[in-house]
């Protein structure tokens, strides 16, 4: 999420105006921040925090607010992330804090940045791939992020964004499960629909970090329990969607396709978009639900986008599976090694 400059690098990411309700809010916040209209930005933050409002596609507007700040520094892959870009981002946030000394928003944004800067130093690999120098920098920056958040605690104990940031730091610093879960429960008691709270808990309790497959599944069930009244099975789908897209996810029994499918339908009822329906098709393919896959392809029509279907082989297999929906036959694929083209029949 680190930046190149205060110019809107993101503006070049897409040639079309985004229409998803959450993205509309994100883009609006980004534009206000880049215009340096700090008074309007502070007022928007205050209203989102007080009203606990949600977008039409069921995302907290407060969460979308901070995503908009982060998006202002999105290079869209146009330039490598460096320490220079990080310093430019920090300077932009400090300018906001200087202009709005009484607003907690820029202080929170700076704490979020510091934590992300720490993750940048660590890298995305497993622990064994991180050098001693990287670990040292990661720990120092994460300690700074915690200190900033601790200083903000007295005035942010009712702010779900603060809890989400504290959970992120807690994961990084290896907080005990007892302390981590206690903080999570306080956060979701305030704002059960603040999605980042659930995602941070899922990361913490995943096999990669401090938990297990069973613990991850327990977090998913807790998230569904807290949000089912308004969102149905949405969180079941979103959390498993984010966690894995492996070919055996349904065969293993850890993820149940009927619930996953229901969750996708709940998401699409809230806001029907091509991206989500393409992904629904990919999961129908993984589940080898050929008739349901064909139904989604028929709905999409020209909106079928290979970019959402993984590899060429996977895309070709799924298209062929749909064609065989009335026979029950699984496709056989042949790949041309020279061209990379795949034919499935």
């Amino acid at each position: 999420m680190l930046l190149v400059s205060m110019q809107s690098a993101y503006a070049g990411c897409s040639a079309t105006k985004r229409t998803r309700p959450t993205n509309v809010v994100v883009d609006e916040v980004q534009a206000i921040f880049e215009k340096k209209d700090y008074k309007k930005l502070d007022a928007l933050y205050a209203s989102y925090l007080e009203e606990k409002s949600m977008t039409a596609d069921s995302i907290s507007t407060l969460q979308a607010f901070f995503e908009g700040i982060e998006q202002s520094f999105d290079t869209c892959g146009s330039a490598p992330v460096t320490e220079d870009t990080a310093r430019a981002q920090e300077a932009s946030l400090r300018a906001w804090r200087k202009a709005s000394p009484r607003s907690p928003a820029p202080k929170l944004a700076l704490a979020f940045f510091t934590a992300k800067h720490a993750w940048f130093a660590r890298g995305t690999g497993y622990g064994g791939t991180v050098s001693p120098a990287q670990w040292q920098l990661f720990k120092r920056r994460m300690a700074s992020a915690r200190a900033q958040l601790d200083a903000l605690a007295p005035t942010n104990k009712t702010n779900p964004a603060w809890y989400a940031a504290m959970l992120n730091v807690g994961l990084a610093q290896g907080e005990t499960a007892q302390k981590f879960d206690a903080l999570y429960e306080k956060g979701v008691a305030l704002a059960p629909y603040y999605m980042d709270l659930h995602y941070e808990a899922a990361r913490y309790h995943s096999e990669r970090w401090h938990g297990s497959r069973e613990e991850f599944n327990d977090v998913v069930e807790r998230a569904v329990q807290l949000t089912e009244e308004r969102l149905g099975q949405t969180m079941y789908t979103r959390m498993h969607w984010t966690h894995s897209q492996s070919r055996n996810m349904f065969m293993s029994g850890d993820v149940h396709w009927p619930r996953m499918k229901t969750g996708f339908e709940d998401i699409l009822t809230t806001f029907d978009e091509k991206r989500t329906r393409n992904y629904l098709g990919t999961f129908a393919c993984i589940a080898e639900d050929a008739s349901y896959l064909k139904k989604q392809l028929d709905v999409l029509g020209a909106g079928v986008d290979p970019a959402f279907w993984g590899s060429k082989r996977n895309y070709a297999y799924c298209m062929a599976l749909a064609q065989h929906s009335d026979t029950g036959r699984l496709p056989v694929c042949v790949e041309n090694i020279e061209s990379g083209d795949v034919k499935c029949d």
Side-chain angles (χ1 to χ4, degrees), residues 19-263:
T19 59
R20 183 184 173 193
T22 295
N23 290 339
V24 170
V25 175
V26 170
D27 292 345
E28 178 188 13
V29 171
Q30 175 199 356
I32 295 170
F33 182 70
E34 293 183 357
K35 290 178 182 176
K36 301 182 181 180
D37 190 346
Y38 300 131
K39 287 185 179 180
K40 187 173 182 179
L41 203 63
D42 295 334
L44 202 59
Y45 164 82
S47 68
Y48 288 162
L49 178 62
E50 181 180 358
E51 296 168 7
K52 298 182 179 180
S53 54
M54 297 179 67
T55 64
D57 53 339
S58 302
I59 301 296
S60 162
T61 51
L62 184 63
Q63 181 174 318
F65 176 90
F66 283 109
E67 288 178 7
I69 301 301
E70 178 178 327
Q71 181 174 272
S72 293
F73 310 113
D74 190 347
T75 68
C76 303
S78 62
V81 174
T82 67
E83 287 299 327
D84 287 339
T85 64
R87 281 192 289 272
Q89 176 175 351
E90 186 175 16
S92 299
L93 293 170
R94 289 186 182 280
W96 178 19
R97 186 180 65 176
K98 183 177 180 180
S100 304
R102 295 185 179 181
S103 173
K107 298 180 180 70
L108 278 168
L110 269 167
F112 299 163
F113 159 77
T114 304
K116 288 180 180 293
H117 199 197
W119 285 110
F120 170 66
R122 182 196 179 281
T124 58
Y126 284 89
T129 68
V130 183
S131 71
Q134 286 176 298
W135 276 123
Q136 184 178 22
L137 192 54
F138 172 71
K139 291 177 181 179
R140 185 168 71 246
R141 290 174 178 172
M142 201 59 74
S144 175
R146 177 176 283 276
Q148 292 175 58
L149 291 167
D150 285 343
L152 293 168
T155 56
N156 282 275
K157 287 299 180 69
T158 60
N159 187 338
W162 180 84
Y163 282 93
M166 285 292 288
L167 291 175
N168 182 273
V169 173
L171 179 151
Q173 295 185 327
E175 189 71 86
T176 66
Q178 183 178 11
K179 290 183 178 180
F180 184 95
D181 290 343
L183 192 65
Y184 167 73
E185 289 296 337
K186 288 181 180 179
V188 296
L190 289 168
Y193 295 97
Y194 198 90
M195 304 305 181
D196 278 352
L197 295 170
H198 303 299
Y199 290 130
E200 291 294 351
R203 285 181 64 207
Y204 179 94
H205 285 288
S206 68
E207 294 173 275
R208 178 174 181 179
W209 292 102
H210 308 295
S212 64
R213 185 177 302 177
E214 292 75 17
E215 287 183 30
F216 174 85
N217 288 335
D218 287 343
V219 172
V220 172
E221 294 301 330
R222 179 63 174 145
V224 173
Q225 179 188 38
L226 289 165
T227 60
E228 189 170 13
E229 181 178 356
R230 184 182 296 180
L231 302 182
Q233 295 296 310
T234 291
M235 288 307 293
Y236 183 87
T237 294
R238 287 197 182 280
M239 296 177 81
H240 282 297
W241 176 2
T242 303
H243 184 64
S244 174
Q245 295 181 35
S246 68
R247 296 298 306 179
N248 67 344
M249 63 185 297
F250 299 120
M251 291 186 291
S252 68
D254 281 333
V255 186
H256 301 283
W257 169 235
R259 284 185 73 184
M260 191 85 171
K261 178 166 59 175
T262 298

Side-chain angles (χ1 to χ4, degrees), residues 247 257 261 277-301 304 309 314-325 331:
R247 296 298 306 179
W257 169 235
K261 178 166 59 175
R277 196 170 291 279
N278 270 273
Y279 274 116
L280 170 55
T282 67
F283 282 104
C285 183
I286 291 172
E288 295 184 345
D289 189 342
S291 60
Y292 192 77
L293 168 60
K294 184 177 185 305
K295 178 182 177 181
Q296 301 313 310
L297 295 177
D298 289 344
V299 172
L300 281 164
V304 176
W309 293 75
N314 190 65
Y315 177 72
Y317 178 89
C318 293
M319 297 304 106
L321 179 64
Q323 291 176 359
H324 296 314
S325 62

